[in-house]
PDB file of all heavy atoms in Angstrom:
ATOM      1  N   THR A  96      16.284  -9.375  -0.374  1.00 96.00           N
ATOM      2  CA  THR A  96      17.199  -9.144   0.756  1.00 96.00           C
ATOM      3  C   THR A  96      18.643  -9.119   0.251  1.00 96.00           C
ATOM      4  O   THR A  96      19.447  -8.310   0.706  1.00 96.00           O
ATOM      5  CB  THR A  96      17.035 -10.226   1.851  1.00 96.00           C
ATOM      6  OG1 THR A  96      17.061 -11.511   1.243  1.00 96.00           O
ATOM      7  CG2 THR A  96      15.738 -10.070   2.591  1.00 96.00           C
ATOM      8  N   GLU A 133       8.967   7.342   3.007  1.00 95.00           N
ATOM      9  CA  GLU A 133       9.459   7.316   4.392  1.00 95.00           C
ATOM     10  C   GLU A 133       8.423   7.871   5.346  1.00 95.00           C
ATOM     11  O   GLU A 133       7.280   8.113   4.960  1.00 95.00           O
ATOM     12  CB  GLU A 133      10.766   8.135   4.485  1.00 95.00           C
ATOM     13  CG  GLU A 133      11.849   7.543   3.577  1.00 95.00           C
ATOM     14  CD  GLU A 133      13.226   8.107   3.862  1.00 95.00           C
ATOM     15  OE1 GLU A 133      13.433   8.687   4.936  1.00 95.00           O
ATOM     16  OE2 GLU A 133      14.113   7.936   3.009  1.00 95.00           O
ATOM     17  N   HIS A 246       6.110 -20.699   3.579  1.00 90.00           N
ATOM     18  CA  HIS A 246       6.621 -19.361   3.345  1.00 90.00           C
ATOM     19  C   HIS A 246       6.146 -18.752   2.028  1.00 90.00           C
ATOM     20  O   HIS A 246       6.065 -17.537   1.885  1.00 90.00           O
ATOM     21  CB  HIS A 246       8.144 -19.386   3.407  1.00 90.00           C
ATOM     22  CG  HIS A 246       8.732 -18.027   3.431  1.00 90.00           C
ATOM     23  ND1 HIS A 246       8.978 -17.328   2.276  1.00 90.00           N
ATOM     24  CD2 HIS A 246       9.070 -17.219   4.446  1.00 90.00           C
ATOM     25  CE1 HIS A 246       9.462 -16.156   2.601  1.00 90.00           C
ATOM     26  NE2 HIS A 246       9.527 -16.065   3.910  1.00 90.00           N
ATOM     27  N   TYR A 300     -13.349  -2.151   6.027  1.00 98.00           N
ATOM     28  CA  TYR A 300     -14.309  -2.728   6.964  1.00 98.00           C
ATOM     29  C   TYR A 300     -13.533  -3.279   8.156  1.00 98.00           C
ATOM     30  O   TYR A 300     -12.665  -4.136   7.995  1.00 98.00           O
ATOM     31  CB  TYR A 300     -15.124  -3.848   6.301  1.00 98.00           C
ATOM     32  CG  TYR A 300     -16.025  -3.320   5.202  1.00 98.00           C
ATOM     33  CD1 TYR A 300     -15.586  -3.260   3.886  1.00 98.00           C
ATOM     34  CD2 TYR A 300     -17.307  -2.847   5.499  1.00 98.00           C
ATOM     35  CE1 TYR A 300     -16.398  -2.756   2.886  1.00 98.00           C
ATOM     36  CE2 TYR A 300     -18.132  -2.344   4.509  1.00 98.00           C
ATOM     37  CZ  TYR A 300     -17.660  -2.300   3.202  1.00 98.00           C
ATOM     38  OH  TYR A 300     -18.479  -1.791   2.215  1.00 98.00           O
TER      39      TYR A 300
ATOM     40  N   THR B 124      15.539   8.437   6.304  1.00 94.00           N
ATOM     41  CA  THR B 124      16.734   9.147   5.787  1.00 94.00           C
ATOM     42  C   THR B 124      18.050   8.381   5.962  1.00 94.00           C
ATOM     43  O   THR B 124      19.117   8.939   5.801  1.00 94.00           O
ATOM     44  CB  THR B 124      16.910  10.570   6.371  1.00 94.00           C
ATOM     45  OG1 THR B 124      17.282  10.465   7.748  1.00 94.00           O
ATOM     46  CG2 THR B 124      15.666  11.417   6.229  1.00 94.00           C
ATOM     47  N   GLU B 125      17.949   7.096   6.274  1.00 92.00           N
ATOM     48  CA  GLU B 125      19.168   6.289   6.317  1.00 92.00           C
ATOM     49  C   GLU B 125      19.335   5.620   4.962  1.00 92.00           C
ATOM     50  O   GLU B 125      18.362   5.216   4.337  1.00 92.00           O
ATOM     51  CB  GLU B 125      19.076   5.224   7.409  1.00 92.00           C
ATOM     52  CG  GLU B 125      19.229   5.839   8.780  1.00 92.00           C
ATOM     53  CD  GLU B 125      19.032   4.844   9.888  1.00 92.00           C
ATOM     54  OE1 GLU B 125      18.816   3.650   9.615  1.00 92.00           O
ATOM     55  OE2 GLU B 125      19.097   5.282  11.040  1.00 92.00           O
ATOM     56  N   GLU B 164      13.538 -14.419   1.552  1.00 86.00           N
ATOM     57  CA  GLU B 164      12.361 -14.607   0.701  1.00 86.00           C
ATOM     58  C   GLU B 164      11.879 -16.051   0.635  1.00 86.00           C
ATOM     59  O   GLU B 164      10.704 -16.320   0.670  1.00 86.00           O
ATOM     60  CB  GLU B 164      12.644 -14.137  -0.728  1.00 86.00           C
ATOM     61  CG  GLU B 164      12.780 -12.635  -0.875  1.00 86.00           C
ATOM     62  CD  GLU B 164      14.152 -12.125  -0.479  1.00 86.00           C
ATOM     63  OE1 GLU B 164      15.056 -12.948  -0.218  1.00 86.00           O
ATOM     64  OE2 GLU B 164      14.315 -10.900  -0.409  1.00 86.00           O
ATOM     65  N   ARG B 233       8.504  15.373   0.045  1.00 96.00           N
ATOM     66  CA  ARG B 233       7.176  15.808  -0.366  1.00 96.00           C
ATOM     67  C   ARG B 233       6.123  14.905   0.255  1.00 96.00           C
ATOM     68  O   ARG B 233       6.320  13.703   0.387  1.00 96.00           O
ATOM     69  CB  ARG B 233       7.032  15.919  -1.882  1.00 96.00           C
ATOM     70  CG  ARG B 233       7.442  14.750  -2.676  1.00 96.00           C
ATOM     71  CD  ARG B 233       7.357  15.085  -4.176  1.00 96.00           C
ATOM     72  NE  ARG B 233       8.177  14.164  -4.928  1.00 96.00           N
ATOM     73  CZ  ARG B 233       7.782  12.934  -5.266  1.00 96.00           C
ATOM     74  NH1 ARG B 233       6.576  12.523  -4.942  1.00 96.00           N
ATOM     75  NH2 ARG B 233       8.579  12.114  -5.918  1.00 96.00           N
ATOM     76  N   GLU B 259     -22.753  -5.066   0.676  1.00 96.00           N
ATOM     77  CA  GLU B 259     -21.967  -3.971   0.074  1.00 96.00           C
ATOM     78  C   GLU B 259     -20.815  -4.518  -0.765  1.00 96.00           C
ATOM     79  O   GLU B 259     -20.525  -4.004  -1.840  1.00 96.00           O
ATOM     80  CB  GLU B 259     -21.422  -3.051   1.168  1.00 96.00           C
ATOM     81  CG  GLU B 259     -22.503  -2.193   1.792  1.00 96.00           C
ATOM     82  CD  GLU B 259     -21.929  -1.214   2.825  1.00 96.00           C
ATOM     83  OE1 GLU B 259     -20.734  -0.828   2.714  1.00 96.00           O
ATOM     84  OE2 GLU B 259     -22.680  -0.852   3.732  1.00 96.00           O
TER      85      GLU B 259
END
Side-chain angles (χ1 to χ4, degrees):
Chain A
T96 49
E133 299 193 18
H246 191 275
Y300 294 91
Chain B
T124 70
E125 286 175 2
E164 290 81 7
R233 51 185 160 81
E259 287 184 27

